[in-house]
Amino acid sequence: MDPTGQLDARAAEVRLRAECDEVQAAIALVARGTATRVSLSGLTFGEQLLAKLGPEARLAGVALVPSWWPDDAGCDLAVCRVDG
C-alpha cells in the first residue's frame, strides 16, 4: 500500500468509472429494447451507482433495482424496463 493512499484512491476511482460505464451500458441495452433485463453483480460501488445513475435510468424508461447484500454491505443491481 502506498503510505499516501494515492494508489488506493486511484484504484477506487478507476473501479468506480468502470462500474459506472457497465451500468450505463446496461441502461442503454434495456432502454433500446436489446435486452429486457440486465443483472450486474459483484459491484464494489453498487449503492453509490444506484444513487448516481437512478435518475438517468428513469429518464431512459428503465429502473435500477437493488438486491441488497447481507449486513447492508452493498448491493447488486438489475436494470429492468419500466412498463407504463
Side-chain angles (χ1 to χ4, degrees):
M1 181 174 129
D2 176 14
T4 65
Q6 289 179 340
L7 292 178
D8 289 339
R10 179 69 181 136
E13 180 181 329
V14 168
R15 177 68 181 202
L16 177 60
R17 181 76 250 160
E19 290 186 5
C20 187
D21 290 346
E22 290 172 10
V23 175
Q24 287 175 315
I27 290 169
L29 281 172
V30 176
R32 284 193 307 255
T34 305
T36 57
R37 178 183 178 97
V38 175
S39 297
L40 301 144
S41 60
L43 298 169
T44 302
F45 298 101
E47 190 170 356
Q48 292 89 336
L49 293 168
L50 176 63
K52 179 179 180 175
L53 298 176
E56 179 179 325
R58 284 189 293 281
L59 285 173
V62 301
L64 297 181
V65 181
S67 177
W68 296 103
W69 298 344
D71 301 326
D72 294 324
C75 65
D76 296 332
L77 295 175
V79 182
C80 306
R81 196 175 338 187
V82 175
D83 295 324

